[in-house]
Amino acid sequence: MYSGMTPSALNWQKKIKKFVNDELIPWEVHAEKNNGELPKDIEKKHRDIAISLGLPGMGISKASGGLGLNMFEQMIIWEQLGRVTNALSWCFSEAQDWMENNFNEYQKENYLKPLLLGTKKECYAITETEAGSDVEGSIKTTAEKKGDKYVINGEKWYVTSANIADFFFLQAKIISEDNKDKQALFIVDKNSKGIELVDLSLIHISAPTRRYASSYDVFCLKKQMGGGVGGG
């Protein structure tokens, strides 16, 4: 047993262990043999159970509709979910505390709330051909302010889950006005005009998520910038 294990953490460990053992692990072999695809009714069942457990908002405060779990309790949950082959546990959206802390009201209503309810799914468009973790010095995707919009241009690689996501969190460098050369994180709806997706080769086949390269020549409203300029 873990040093410092609390009754709450132990309870979560038992509940998630049961979910993993009873619902997820039995489908590992099927996923491996079917390019990560599960029957739609099974996908829905897994998603519904995860939502009923509150997993999309495990780190979000109760006041905002989450579980309000501390980091230790979240670690206990992910330790159990991590027992499943690769990403079969990615059956639910993941709202993060940074969203709660930085989103404006428009973003909370149109993105955070749907993530908590499981009606929308997110993905991250950060990596580029010459930019991985060094986003400050290497990001070449640009955002130019025009009125109340930004014109975003660039290309992102290895956008995991783009095939099943509804929107991107996209990092870009501002190239106009007073905020020139500062970083910003934008929320970009996947159905926006000007986005092109290219399906990359499967890196693993144990999850229905795929990795994509994506090209952008798209307008994004200023209210879809997360956390303000320089906070990306």
Side-chain angles (χ1 to χ4, degrees):
M1 182 177 289
Y2 293 98
S3 173
M5 177 70 86
T6 64
S8 174
L10 184 60
N11 182 49
W12 277 108
Q13 184 185 60
K14 291 178 179 178
K15 286 196 291 187
I16 304 305
K17 183 177 183 179
K18 179 175 173 58
F19 174 44
V20 170
N21 287 350
D22 295 355
E23 304 294 344
L24 301 183
I25 288 179
W27 287 94
E28 285 182 325
V29 174
H30 178 95
E32 289 286 352
K33 292 182 176 180
N34 292 274
N35 293 324
E37 299 290 338
L38 298 180
K40 295 302 181 183
D41 60 324
I42 298 300
E43 283 186 12
K44 183 178 185 304
K45 181 181 180 183
H46 291 171
R47 182 170 60 255
D48 288 348
I49 293 173
I51 292 171
S52 70
L53 289 167
L55 298 186
M58 63 178 82
I60 302 298
S61 70
K62 292 182 179 180
S64 294
L67 295 175
L69 301 184
N70 60 42
M71 192 58 66
F72 183 79
E73 292 166 331
Q74 294 178 60
M75 181 274 290
I76 291 297
I77 289 174
W78 279 110
E79 180 183 50
Q80 290 302 313
L81 292 172
R83 293 170 49 233
V84 186
T85 300
N86 285 327
L88 278 184
S89 60
W90 295 355
C91 56
F92 57 93
S93 305
E94 296 178 46
Q96 306 290 337
D97 57 1
W98 67 264
M99 303 175 194
E100 180 181 14
N101 296 333
N102 292 283
F103 275 9
N104 58 40
E105 291 306 313
Y106 173 85
Q107 293 163 351
K108 288 180 178 179
E109 183 65 27
N110 289 277
Y111 300 102
L112 178 57
K113 185 176 179 180
L115 288 179
L116 290 170
L117 295 175
T119 56
K120 285 186 178 181
K121 193 166 181 63
E122 80 291 356
C123 67
Y124 290 81
I126 309 294
T127 303
E128 299 180 2
T129 54
E130 298 180 10
S133 58
D134 179 26
V135 295
E136 183 67 29
S138 302
I139 289 288
K140 294 183 178 178
T141 296
T142 61
E144 182 179 8
K145 192 172 186 300
K146 292 191 175 182
D148 65 343
K149 299 182 177 67
Y150 282 87
V151 180
I152 298 174
N153 280 285
E155 183 177 278
K156 299 291 184 178
W157 279 71
Y158 306 117
V159 186
T160 305
S161 301
N163 60 314
I164 58 175
D166 297 286
F167 61 90
F168 304 89
F169 289 116
L170 180 144
Q171 186 142 355
K173 181 181 291 186
I174 305 295
I175 60 170
S176 57
E177 299 186 342
D178 296 337
N179 295 305
K180 188 175 184 296
D181 294 330
K182 289 187 177 180
Q183 298 285 330
L185 191 69
F186 294 88
I187 304 172
V188 181
D189 294 316
K190 193 174 74 173
N191 62 2
S192 299
K193 184 179 180 181
I195 296 176
E196 180 183 0
L197 297 178
V198 177
D199 193 356
L200 302 177
S201 299
L202 278 171
I203 295 176
H204 58 75
I205 60 170
S206 56
T209 61
R210 297 181 67 89
R211 296 190 175 192
Y212 282 72
S214 52
S215 299
Y216 300 86
D217 182 7
V218 61
F219 283 101
C220 187
L221 296 175
K222 182 179 179 181
K223 62 185 176 181
Q224 289 175 252
M225 180 190 293
V229 176

